[in-house]
Amino acid sequence: MTDRPGDLSDESVSELDISADEIRRIGSAAVELIAGYYESIRDRPVFSGATPREVRERVDQALPETGADFDELLEVFRDVILRFNRHNGHPRFFGYVASPGTAVTAISDMLASALNSNVTSWRSSPASTQIERLTIDWIKQILGYPADAEGVFVSGGSMANFSGLAAARSLKAPASVTGDGMRAVERVMRIYMSEEGHHSITKAAALLGIGHKNVRIVRVDDRFRIDINDLTRKIEEDLRDGHLPFCVVASAGTVSTGAFDPLGEVADVARAYNLWMHVDASYGGFAVMAKSARHFFDRISDADSISLDPHKWLYVPIDCGCVLYRDPAAARAAFSHDAEYTRVVERDPDEAFAFWDYSPELSRRFRALKVWMMLKSVGTRALGQAIEKNILCAKHLARLVEASEDFEMLAPVELSIFCFRYIPASMRHELEGASRERAEEINRALDALNERVMIELQRDGDAYLSNARVRDRFSLRGCIINYRTTERDMEILLEDVRHIAKRIEALD
Ligand SMILES: Cc1ncc(COP(=O)(O)O)c(C=O)c1O
């Protein structure tokens, strides 16, 4: 660096450029708020129940022409944004598949934004790139995936699934789909997935020009796992019809029930028919760290690509998904491109490394920092114990349900997802001896009752469940991926559900 003449102190300072002291002041205020939030999260309502209008009316709608004080903005954050949101980190938030985040990883997101590196390639962000590659290596080790596989963090499981299928499509298509487009492929390309597979797979098929109708939906067994006989039957059928089976998607933890497809058997079918095997482990992938779930992952290393979501069961905040490819060249064939502005001029292979060769994204935030900080600050042992505790909580709930008079499980608990319904004793008894028509009527009434229970539970704000359709019945569904949740929370949940159901029954 050369010394430059001239004194810059006279030049007017942009309002965007605040002093170091001011940064310290606003940063401390924000961190204080974060600490208070984490401290009070268990005592907050999970969900405020406010209407869109009520929330809208609390926020100044005018486009700001001049700046406001940061303290004022923090006040809006505290009094409106924080108050009127759903608190995914609450120990009794069981909806969907939502990570609670942690304090360290929230702060690492702030650090990543302050540094604002654009993690496109080594040249663009040397240290961030090294941290991402190292963290991806650790994830491969956690899973037992080959060391020479490649991977990249993406926005989430949907983008990871899209990326895995894009690599599959370009490798297995009989023509260059990246160059000539899908018109060059004369046969209908077919993907196979169980009826419990995630909709992001069908969405990816639609976006990749394969067509969502060409995702063949395979039946499941009594544990909601892909039925291998039905899978082979459908592949054979398609071959007879002149189609091109090219990819099978196995679920490592389905979104509705947490079912885990038998990876070894799916891998055998994939090898027999020359299919790309993609494993959607967005929800269940990190359960490999829990001793009781490890057996599910035998033969995961056979997968050609895997989707994982650190922003689910690695407890890091949104956004952070991850896709791994066993054959990095297959991913590069799908995503590499030539442009002068991205031409890599370095000779050392590590310096020439570019993430844009492995996903659709070019500009990327430093997602790896929070994953690296999570793994470094806690370690795999404590993470495995937290995941195991989540599984035990789900099993505890199942035991309570099975021992009760007025609840029933609708699916087995495989990981930390539980599906059950409220069923008053009178309806349970009537159902036992009912004709088919009468049983259908009773079940429909139970569907409606449980749906009302779910809505009122969400509004009450003490606990939060979402729903699933299980063998065509409405199910109360919960997913535990929160290190704060205890067995006592599971008991409170059932007390809440029972209380609300009785309140509804008393009104009717
Ligand atoms: C099994 C499975 N796959 C894919 C996804 C999509 O992940 P994301 O929401 O991160 O895009 C989910 C989300 O819950 C999921 O459970």
Side-chain angles (χ1 to χ4, degrees):
M1 289 255 292
T2 54
D3 283 341
R4 292 216 171 80
D7 180 1
L8 299 178
S9 60
D10 282 352
E11 290 190 24
S12 67
V13 174
S14 162
E15 278 179 50
L16 278 71
D17 194 10
I18 61 174
S19 71
D21 279 347
E22 183 61 359
I23 295 170
R24 286 187 190 99
R25 191 186 72 74
I26 66 171
S28 305
V31 169
E32 184 56 40
L33 193 147
I34 293 171
Y37 177 59
Y38 278 109
E39 198 170 38
S40 65
I41 198 155
R42 180 175 272 283
D43 306 319
R44 291 175 176 272
V46 186
F47 190 62
S48 80
T51 63
R53 188 166 158 206
E54 282 166 334
V55 181
R56 197 166 45 241
E57 279 172 354
R58 284 180 160 86
V59 184
D60 181 5
Q61 301 291 311
L63 172 68
E65 202 178 321
T66 54
D69 201 52
F70 182 77
D71 298 339
E72 231 178 84
L73 309 186
L74 208 56
E75 216 172 281
V76 177
F77 182 84
R78 187 182 44 236
D79 298 344
V80 183
I81 300 174
L82 211 140
R83 184 165 156 223
F84 293 103
N85 257 312
R86 202 183 63 198
H87 300 292
N88 292 352
H90 190 291
R92 286 192 298 283
F93 176 76
F94 300 113
Y96 318 102
V97 190
S99 152
T102 67
V104 167
T105 52
I107 288 170
S108 63
D109 254 357
M110 183 163 90
L111 294 171
S113 290
L115 178 65
N116 197 26
S117 52
N118 190 355
V119 195
T120 59
S121 59
W122 189 90
R123 181 180 30 155
S124 167
S125 52
S128 306
T129 297
Q130 285 312 135
I131 292 289
E132 179 154 348
R133 297 195 75 191
L134 172 66
T135 313
I136 292 282
D137 272 349
W138 286 346
I139 292 177
K140 290 186 293 189
Q141 286 176 42
I142 288 171
L143 277 176
Y145 207 49
D148 55 356
E150 199 52 82
V152 57
F153 291 119
V154 290
S155 60
S158 303
M159 186 53 93
N161 282 337
F162 178 88
S163 304
L165 294 196
R169 183 190 69 156
S170 84
L171 188 83
K172 298 291 184 184
S176 165
V177 287
T178 49
D180 301 322
M182 287 300 282
R183 278 179 50 175
V185 182
E186 279 160 15
R187 292 163 73 193
V188 172
M189 295 183 78
R190 287 253 151 114
I191 298 175
Y192 305 83
M193 154 179 107
S194 92
E195 54 192 285
E196 295 289 314
H198 196 260
H199 78 267
S200 54
I201 298 293
T202 39
K203 192 172 186 173
L207 293 171
L208 288 164
I210 291 158
H212 65 78
K213 290 183 184 157
N214 290 312
V215 179
R216 299 278 329 252
I217 301 300
V218 179
R219 281 211 298 267
V220 291
D221 65 13
D222 56 349
R223 282 171 59 194
F224 300 93
R225 301 172 306 177
I226 195 164
D227 177 332
I228 296 295
N229 289 332
D230 194 43
L231 171 64
T232 40
R233 198 176 310 120
K234 289 200 157 82
I235 295 169
E236 290 285 350
E237 222 171 77
D238 284 348
L239 285 170
R240 273 198 305 277
D241 290 346
H243 301 329
L244 176 63
F246 81 100
C247 176
V248 58
V249 178
S251 298
T254 61
V255 68
S256 291
T257 70
F260 217 100
D261 288 338
L263 300 184
E265 290 175 56
V266 175
D268 290 341
V269 173
R271 295 295 159 259
Y273 290 97
N274 189 28
L275 310 184
W276 178 284
M277 176 177 167
H278 176 76
V279 175
D280 180 2
S282 300
Y283 155 58
F286 290 104
V288 71
M289 283 189 273
K291 275 204 187 81
S292 71
R294 204 159 295 155
H295 65 279
F296 286 124
F297 292 84
D298 285 351
R299 308 250 330 252
I300 184 110
S301 57
D302 284 31
D304 294 295
S305 54
I306 305 175
S307 297
L308 297 125
D309 254 347
H311 74 198
K312 290 189 167 66
W313 222 347
L314 203 61
Y315 308 114
V316 310
I318 287 167
D319 63 358
C320 192
C322 173
V323 55
L324 301 176
Y325 308 98
R326 201 148 55 92
D327 174 9
R332 285 196 295 272
F335 296 113
S336 300
H337 64 111
D338 294 323
E340 186 53 26
Y341 50 86
T342 53
R343 191 167 61 85
V344 173
V345 287
E346 284 81 4
R347 300 239 158 77
D348 176 324
D350 278 339
E351 287 187 27
F353 182 84
F355 286 109
W356 63 66
D357 284 340
Y358 299 97
S359 92
E361 297 179 345
L362 179 57
S363 292
R364 300 164 64 247
R365 61 182 278 104
F366 188 9
R367 297 184 181 109
L369 185 65
K370 58 188 164 191
V371 183
W372 178 78
M373 282 209 181
M374 173 57 106
L375 288 164
K376 279 298 273 185
S377 68
V378 179
T380 53
R381 191 183 310 151
L383 281 164
Q385 286 163 355
I387 293 168
E388 193 74 78
K389 189 174 137 209
N390 294 158
I391 295 171
L392 287 174
C393 279
K395 296 206 159 134
H396 181 57
L397 179 123
R399 269 194 308 274
L400 295 174
V401 164
E402 271 148 16
S404 77
E405 281 280 295
D406 51 358
F407 290 114
E408 72 178 358
M409 292 302 291
L410 293 180
V413 170
E414 304 283 1
L415 293 171
S416 69
I417 290 180
F418 52 93
C419 290
F420 72 110
R421 68 177 174 177
Y422 176 73
I423 174 165
S426 57
M427 285 170 104
R428 187 198 286 257
H429 293 143
E430 201 189 340
L431 203 53
E432 273 162 16
S435 66
R436 247 169 95 142
E437 290 74 26
R438 181 65 193 134
E440 182 53 32
E441 262 173 39
I442 298 169
N443 274 318
R444 261 193 264 126
L446 284 170
D447 287 351
L449 172 62
N450 279 277
E451 188 166 338
R452 280 175 70 188
V453 168
M454 183 193 74
I455 292 166
E456 294 206 13
L457 179 80
Q458 293 176 353
R459 278 204 199 117
D460 276 11
D462 190 56
Y464 193 109
L465 290 169
S466 55
N467 55 298
R469 200 108 204 134
V470 178
R471 293 215 173 80
D472 211 26
R473 295 274 65 101
F474 181 92
S475 171
L476 298 170
R477 170 202 168 278
C479 173
I480 312 163
I481 52 170
N482 189 339
Y483 49 88
R484 295 187 181 98
T485 306
T486 64
E487 292 196 355
R488 178 68 195 128
D489 287 307
M490 309 318 295
E491 291 157 16
I492 295 172
L493 169 69
L494 285 186
E495 286 160 20
D496 287 349
V497 172
R498 183 177 282 126
H499 174 75
I500 289 166
K502 292 202 180 306
R503 191 170 76 198
I504 293 172
E505 284 174 322
L507 283 176
D508 286 352

